[in-house]
Amino acid sequence: MSESIYLAATERASGKSAVALALLERLGRSSGRVLPFRPIVDTIGDDELLDVLRERLGPDAPTTAELCGVTYAEMHDVPEQAMSTIVDRFHAVADRADLVLVIGSDFGDSSAPTEFTLNAEVAAHLGSRMVLVLPAGNRGAGGVASALEAALHAAADHHATVVGAVVNQVTAADLESFIAPVAEQIAPVPVVALPDMPLLRAPTVQDLAEACDGDLAHGHEELLDREALGIVVAAMTLPHVLDRLIEGAVLVVPADREEIVIGALLAHRSHTFPSLSGIILNGGFPMSPQIERLIDGIDVSLPLITCATGTMQTVSNLSRAAGRITTRSTRKIEAAVDTLGRALAETPLMAAVELSAHPGVVTPLMFEHDLVESARRADAHIVLPEGAEPRILEAARQVRERRIARLTLLGERGAIEDANRTIGLDLDDVQIIDPHDEGWRDRFAADYAKIRTHKGMTVDLARDVVVDPSYFGTLMVHAGLADGMVSGSITTTAATVRPALEIVRTAPGVSIVSSVFLMCLADRVLVYGDCAINPDPDAGQLADIAISSAQTASQFGIEPRVAMLSYSTGASGTGADVDKVRAATALIRERAPELLVEGPIQYDAAVDPHVAATKLKDSPVAGRATVLVFPDLNTGNNTYKAVQRSAHAVAIGPVLQGLGRPVNDLSRGALVRDIVNTIAITAVQAGGAQS
């Protein structure tokens, strides 16, 4: 039977959702398949937190409805029946998981003690071990300890077992000294303190608009999802308002104070003032046609919200807006996963709740964690040629906040700064280089002309080539000014690969550049090659692809057992296609005798132990293959897409291999998460190249 952890808040506004995100991520790295479950929700199938958690699980996650127990109304009307339903639905989830993270109710209209005891009762019925979440608030260590002590007694009264406690939202000044007296009072239950992060409690501009019954008058609708990190009321002259602006704030200003509106918009666009999240125009006053025309003419992206209430009522309404974590809350999600996750790591509390890793099981979440940790150890410097692309900037922000790699962005500084005003990347934390800078242009023109002299390249001609960001970034890698490059979110594969072939070229002993996809299945990671580059490699090239793919697998902690795929297994088949695979297998054994390789072999015999037992029972690869090499691009590309869609696998790639230095190409449809993973992959490759 699956294990389960029950995360229960002791009162409102505890930050339980952020803790749930961090716990799901941490437990997923060590405990196999982890699924969330909410025993009590407002509406079955409609729960914001479950939607967020499901996105972390991958495409094969159960539906939100399947992860819900009962509604508050059902629990209120027929408690006994509702409890029975919760237990039944919990076990349906547990049957599909190695561990279930149960997330308690959200404190509706009942009193806190009553709702907490209800959660304790549910935990007892589910056989779940409880972890309590308590916000520090304005209480000192003694007040927090007393509150936790009361919760422990209440849980025990309802036969629930508490294995840990989280004191959330602790100020930085108290973080070091807070826990010792609390831990002493509630011993032996382990307790951990998590830092206060105002971002996690911040409402979005959309939340504020709903709170004041406002409408979007100007600006981009997608920016309504940006968090409001403060509220500034413009009840003074413009110079004094400007002095009080803070990063990420929403400005409240009467709509008839048009000079303040225009001044605030200019300040927002200026690099010398903080960036705002929005402006709320209260009072119900229409702006003059001239000002409307002026705003229309400067292409305002910042949301301008209009509402009818006076300043006092507007501010009062805004103060009641609560910050939520939704699927659109990228900053909050990453902050919870990274910052809170690191604070939880290797604590007595985690030791109390973590299960030992399941041998032989590697979930996508586990693999992603290992990938990030390996990238951090590599401490690589990655150049991103598409520096002003919003997805690249958002990925760069996450990479820096998670300490995955050091970064250089290529592009004109002003354009990057403008694009970044809605992203929030700390530009002091990255290097920005404009390829048109004459000093850099002269240096790299000379380098490129020297590399391509045999093709008739001159310095004058090279000056026009090296301003192309892909060429510039590749030259940085060649010169040792960066350890790797990631590009292709808005350019073609050829635009990324061609400079790499011309400048960094293939690695010693490798005849061909190829690619692999890291296929993250539910319980393991396989390496598929080549599925993106070479249409019809000959036997020698196929051998090189296999050897390169095995090396790539090793870089990412996958023990290489190479299957050379064909439509026949062993000596049973004949024909040019199978002969090519047979010849390639012989070349691998000659060139890399240390590799475990089998070929020709069919896919089912390569990955299924039962099939392998009938076809190649003595093979050390058959049934256990981790590196699967396809005979041609047609087969490889179609197979990876079929597995991706039908088995709900996470396909990471293509990962380029065989180059002298790591360069990787992005899909033009790449999501931010894809870009982050590719940067991490490139960093790991760079670390391997450096060692």
Side-chain angles (χ1 to χ4, degrees), residues 52 77 84 207 211 244 259 276-277 314 330 349 420 541 633 645:
V52 172
D77 292 342
S84 177
D207 294 330
R244 288 163 172 79
E259 78 285 0
L276 297 174
S277 289
T314 300
T330 305
L349 182 144
N420 186 53
Q541 292 170 329
L633 184 59
R645 296 292 187 269

mmCIF file of all heavy atoms in Angstrom, residues 52 77 84 207 211 244 259 276-277 314 330 349 420 541 633 645:
data_model
loop_
_atom_site.group_PDB
_atom_site.id
_atom_site.type_symbol
_atom_site.label_atom_id
_atom_site.label_comp_id
_atom_site.label_asym_id
_atom_site.label_seq_id
_atom_site.Cartn_x
_atom_site.Cartn_y
_atom_site.Cartn_z
ATOM 1 N N VAL A 52 -2.103 23.487 -10.409
ATOM 2 C CA VAL A 52 -0.680 23.840 -10.372
ATOM 3 C C VAL A 52 0.171 22.587 -10.158
ATOM 4 O O VAL A 52 1.169 22.357 -10.854
ATOM 5 C CB VAL A 52 -0.401 24.877 -9.262
ATOM 6 C CG1 VAL A 52 1.112 25.081 -9.093
ATOM 7 C CG2 VAL A 52 -1.070 26.202 -9.584
ATOM 8 N N ASP A 77 -23.296 18.440 4.738
ATOM 9 C CA ASP A 77 -24.642 17.848 4.695
ATOM 10 C C ASP A 77 -24.667 16.437 5.274
ATOM 11 O O ASP A 77 -25.532 16.113 6.107
ATOM 12 C CB ASP A 77 -25.156 17.828 3.249
ATOM 13 C CG ASP A 77 -25.426 19.239 2.716
ATOM 14 O OD1 ASP A 77 -25.556 20.180 3.537
ATOM 15 O OD2 ASP A 77 -25.492 19.404 1.472
ATOM 16 N N SER A 84 -16.572 8.572 3.994
ATOM 17 C CA SER A 84 -16.414 7.303 3.276
ATOM 18 C C SER A 84 -15.986 7.543 1.834
ATOM 19 O O SER A 84 -15.128 6.834 1.299
ATOM 20 C CB SER A 84 -17.730 6.522 3.321
ATOM 21 O OG SER A 84 -17.632 5.323 2.589
ATOM 22 N N ASP A 207 -6.043 40.073 -9.620
ATOM 23 C CA ASP A 207 -6.695 39.965 -8.313
ATOM 24 C C ASP A 207 -7.137 41.344 -7.815
ATOM 25 O O ASP A 207 -8.242 41.505 -7.279
ATOM 26 C CB ASP A 207 -5.755 39.335 -7.293
ATOM 27 C CG ASP A 207 -5.433 37.880 -7.605
ATOM 28 O OD1 ASP A 207 -6.286 37.192 -8.198
ATOM 29 O OD2 ASP A 207 -4.318 37.438 -7.253
ATOM 30 N N ALA A 211 -10.863 42.859 -7.115
ATOM 31 C CA ALA A 211 -11.187 43.360 -5.778
ATOM 32 C C ALA A 211 -11.848 44.732 -5.821
ATOM 33 O O ALA A 211 -12.692 45.050 -4.972
ATOM 34 C CB ALA A 211 -9.929 43.406 -4.912
ATOM 35 N N ARG A 244 8.291 57.838 -4.182
ATOM 36 C CA ARG A 244 7.724 56.735 -3.406
ATOM 37 C C ARG A 244 7.427 55.490 -4.232
ATOM 38 O O ARG A 244 6.915 54.502 -3.711
ATOM 39 C CB ARG A 244 6.452 57.223 -2.696
ATOM 40 C CG ARG A 244 6.757 58.166 -1.532
ATOM 41 C CD ARG A 244 5.522 58.971 -1.106
ATOM 42 N NE ARG A 244 5.794 59.729 0.119
ATOM 43 C CZ ARG A 244 6.471 60.860 0.142
ATOM 44 N NH1 ARG A 244 6.945 61.387 -1.003
ATOM 45 N NH2 ARG A 244 6.665 61.495 1.295
ATOM 46 N N GLU A 259 -1.804 64.424 -14.989
ATOM 47 C CA GLU A 259 -0.374 64.692 -14.994
ATOM 48 C C GLU A 259 0.395 63.615 -14.231
ATOM 49 O O GLU A 259 1.520 63.255 -14.601
ATOM 50 C CB GLU A 259 -0.085 66.077 -14.396
ATOM 51 C CG GLU A 259 -0.122 66.178 -12.859
ATOM 52 C CD GLU A 259 -1.544 66.166 -12.269
ATOM 53 O OE1 GLU A 259 -2.531 66.083 -13.047
ATOM 54 O OE2 GLU A 259 -1.658 66.254 -11.041
ATOM 55 N N LEU A 276 6.720 49.386 -12.670
ATOM 56 C CA LEU A 276 5.427 49.178 -12.024
ATOM 57 C C LEU A 276 4.765 47.905 -12.536
ATOM 58 O O LEU A 276 5.081 47.399 -13.613
ATOM 59 C CB LEU A 276 4.506 50.378 -12.291
ATOM 60 C CG LEU A 276 4.951 51.733 -11.747
ATOM 61 C CD1 LEU A 276 4.010 52.833 -12.229
ATOM 62 C CD2 LEU A 276 5.023 51.709 -10.229
ATOM 63 N N SER A 277 3.805 47.384 -11.750
ATOM 64 C CA SER A 277 2.989 46.261 -12.198
ATOM 65 C C SER A 277 1.669 46.721 -12.794
ATOM 66 O O SER A 277 1.054 45.993 -13.577
ATOM 67 C CB SER A 277 2.714 45.299 -11.034
ATOM 68 O OG SER A 277 3.884 44.606 -10.666
ATOM 69 N N THR A 314 -11.391 52.410 -2.620
ATOM 70 C CA THR A 314 -10.578 51.603 -3.527
ATOM 71 C C THR A 314 -9.448 50.907 -2.776
ATOM 72 O O THR A 314 -9.229 49.702 -2.926
ATOM 73 C CB THR A 314 -10.000 52.469 -4.663
ATOM 74 O OG1 THR A 314 -11.074 53.049 -5.406
ATOM 75 C CG2 THR A 314 -9.132 51.634 -5.599
ATOM 76 N N THR A 330 4.075 31.904 -12.532
ATOM 77 C CA THR A 330 5.389 31.309 -12.777
ATOM 78 C C THR A 330 6.406 31.698 -11.710
ATOM 79 O O THR A 330 7.145 30.852 -11.196
ATOM 80 C CB THR A 330 5.908 31.737 -14.160
ATOM 81 O OG1 THR A 330 4.945 31.389 -15.144
ATOM 82 C CG2 THR A 330 7.219 31.049 -14.472
ATOM 83 N N LEU A 349 12.981 17.227 9.451
ATOM 84 C CA LEU A 349 11.606 17.042 9.001
ATOM 85 C C LEU A 349 11.559 16.191 7.734
ATOM 86 O O LEU A 349 10.757 15.267 7.622
ATOM 87 C CB LEU A 349 10.928 18.396 8.759
ATOM 88 C CG LEU A 349 9.458 18.343 8.328
ATOM 89 C CD1 LEU A 349 8.681 19.479 8.936
ATOM 90 C CD2 LEU A 349 9.318 18.413 6.802
ATOM 91 N N ASN A 420 12.760 43.135 -20.770
ATOM 92 C CA ASN A 420 12.867 42.597 -19.424
ATOM 93 C C ASN A 420 11.983 43.303 -18.407
ATOM 94 O O ASN A 420 11.793 42.797 -17.290
ATOM 95 C CB ASN A 420 14.335 42.669 -18.952
ATOM 96 C CG ASN A 420 14.556 42.001 -17.615
ATOM 97 O OD1 ASN A 420 14.196 40.832 -17.427
ATOM 98 N ND2 ASN A 420 15.129 42.734 -16.670
ATOM 99 N N GLN A 541 28.967 6.004 -39.732
ATOM 100 C CA GLN A 541 28.314 7.125 -39.060
ATOM 101 C C GLN A 541 27.364 6.636 -37.969
ATOM 102 O O GLN A 541 27.286 7.225 -36.888
ATOM 103 C CB GLN A 541 27.561 7.978 -40.087
ATOM 104 C CG GLN A 541 28.471 8.713 -41.060
ATOM 105 C CD GLN A 541 27.702 9.345 -42.200
ATOM 106 O OE1 GLN A 541 26.655 8.829 -42.620
ATOM 107 N NE2 GLN A 541 28.227 10.438 -42.749
ATOM 108 N N LEU A 633 16.661 8.561 -39.830
ATOM 109 C CA LEU A 633 15.905 9.657 -39.237
ATOM 110 C C LEU A 633 14.404 9.412 -39.304
ATOM 111 O O LEU A 633 13.667 9.760 -38.368
ATOM 112 C CB LEU A 633 16.258 10.971 -39.947
ATOM 113 C CG LEU A 633 15.625 12.253 -39.402
ATOM 114 C CD1 LEU A 633 16.004 12.480 -37.948
ATOM 115 C CD2 LEU A 633 16.054 13.455 -40.248
ATOM 116 N N ARG A 645 3.752 10.844 -27.408
ATOM 117 C CA ARG A 645 2.309 11.054 -27.371
ATOM 118 C C ARG A 645 1.559 9.887 -26.727
ATOM 119 O O ARG A 645 0.683 10.098 -25.884
ATOM 120 C CB ARG A 645 1.777 11.265 -28.797
ATOM 121 C CG ARG A 645 2.297 12.505 -29.488
ATOM 122 C CD ARG A 645 1.770 13.788 -28.832
ATOM 123 N NE ARG A 645 2.127 14.984 -29.599
ATOM 124 C CZ ARG A 645 3.213 15.688 -29.402
ATOM 125 N NH1 ARG A 645 4.048 15.317 -28.451
ATOM 126 N NH2 ARG A 645 3.480 16.756 -30.137
#
